[in-house]
Amino acid sequence: MASLPAVSAAPRTSDVVDAVRRGAPSKAAGSRGAPTLLEHLFASLALAALCAGAASADRVHVRAPALATWLETLAAFGTGCLLNGVLAATAWAAAFSPAGARRTATWWLLAACGFLLSLPYAMPYRLGISASAHALISFIGAWKTFDVLAGTRPAAVVSNGWKAFAMFLVSPVEYKTDPHVPGGIDAAQPLEWLRQLAQTCSSYAGLALAASMSGLLSNESPRRFGGVAAWRFGGVDFRGPLALYTEVWTIYLFLNLFTGTFSTMLAAAGFSPQLMFDSPLLRSTSVSDFWSRRWNLLIHGLFRRTVFRPLIRLSVPIWVAGLAAFAVSGAFHEYAFALQQPELRKSLGRCFVFFVVQAPIVSAERAARSRIPVPWPLSRSGVACTACWTAVLLPFAPLFMHPLKASGVFAQIYTLVPRLQFD
């Protein structure tokens, strides 16, 4: 998802709290940073809730993953990557074509991008998750092709031969470049692929936990776990907000599973993968910190160098450039989530609105930070900052979730993992 990069030279309050709380941002490679104490605590609380639900249910059984869902989803990912490989070969040939034919080759390349972007809509996918997965891979591949044509891609992409170039376009996850060597690429550390695989397995286990929690909180699950009163506090039923928060974790863990798989393959191929997520749900200390330093750093980096920075160089105001980056991200998700919608008119535009709304929130946060003293406990506690930004953003989450629910993507994600069912 796009983000508004920090440009102020003054230290941010979130940076100060972040430094006190845990030091500098993680430089570890891979799809995400190491689990934090809060992540372990959240997992323990979820396990305790599941145990309590199991103790009060008449019967508990384990639902096995659906093989058919796995096969179709993997086929969608594989098809998208294979076609991006063809796109990479076409782009490589165009780059080395004679000067007179290069313009024509560029137009053919753009036409190929348009064809690949339309292809997910023509594929006979049975599941919304498969169609969206193919669309996501195709969009990233096409946008990276524009990145190459515009000259905004890292220099190392075109200066290290065909393998590095192909990996850049085929894999959604990007590899690290060496900042000390112009055009250099960081090589994977020994056994780095094994560490990436362990993180991916951790994400899979977390997704299974989220699937079980969703079943416990859903309207269809029995209410023997202390009745409705178990989820009430101060006369308020918290099942709805808890279910929504569980869905947010589901998206995060599924994306971790997806990007972690590509990080593992990059490391196995000898490339050091970039960090994709840095504990965004429990370590972010502000909305801008969430979008610019922690959530989906692949899309953040891609839209920052292809949308935000070019607009800044054209002397466009910072807030306009940030709004444009968020708008492109919204269009990206509209494209991917429009597939397999039973009633498109009910979902169309919701994701776009969700992302466009983020720009004024980030701008307002930065304006307030420069004019208003940060109140206690936000000035002292990173946990309080995380709770605050979660309270600000969570009410907007249904805009993002609606197309996923309407197309049954959440239910399909849950069939990818073993999960508890309470009767």
Side-chain angles (χ1 to χ4, degrees), residues 252-311:
Y252 167 57
L253 291 166
F254 176 72
L255 290 176
N256 258 325
L257 181 65
F258 156 57
T259 57
T261 301
F262 282 99
S263 293
T264 302
M265 292 190 291
L266 270 180
F271 298 90
S272 182
Q274 291 186 8
L275 181 68
M276 300 303 300
F277 294 91
D278 193 5
S279 300
L281 300 182
L282 294 178
R283 299 178 69 181
S284 298
T285 53
S286 68
V287 177
S288 58
D289 182 44
F290 174 82
W291 288 119
S292 65
R293 299 202 308 165
R294 303 200 176 278
W295 179 266
N296 203 346
L297 300 179
L298 161 70
I299 299 301
H300 160 70
L302 190 58
F303 289 166
R304 179 176 180 175
R305 65 177 182 255
T306 59
V307 179
F308 185 85
R309 285 176 177 168
L311 289 176

Side-chain angles (χ1 to χ4, degrees), residues 81-103:
C81 291
L82 179 63
L83 293 174
N84 281 354
V86 175
L87 191 62
T90 306
W92 184 260
F96 290 96
S97 60
R102 195 165 299 160
R103 182 180 295 272

Side-chain angles (χ1 to χ4, degrees), residues 354-401:
F354 170 80
F355 285 103
V356 169
V357 164
Q358 306 306 312
I361 292 176
V362 171
S363 297
E365 173 201 305
R366 290 179 172 171
R369 186 187 300 138
S370 63
R371 293 173 174 83
I372 303 173
V374 179
W376 185 91
L378 300 183
S379 60
R380 297 287 182 179
S381 170
V383 175
C385 291
T386 300
C388 181
W389 79 256
T390 301
V392 170
L393 287 186
L394 197 60
F396 295 99
L399 288 171
F400 183 86
M401 302 296 185

Side-chain angles (χ1 to χ4, degrees), residues 206-245:
L207 189 58
L209 185 61
S212 299
M213 278 298 299
S214 178
L216 187 63
L217 292 165
S218 67
N219 293 330
E220 292 78 15
S221 63
R223 296 299 164 203
R224 296 180 182 273
F225 176 32
V228 175
W231 305 108
R232 285 188 178 274
F233 183 78
V236 178
D237 187 355
F238 282 91
R239 282 178 299 169
L242 286 173
L244 179 60
Y245 194 53

Side-chain angles (χ1 to χ4, degrees), residues 4 7 307-308 311-324:
L4 185 61
V7 295
V307 179
F308 185 85
L311 289 176
I312 292 297
R313 285 195 290 268
L314 293 174
S315 300
V316 171
I318 291 174
W319 70 269
V320 175
L323 178 61

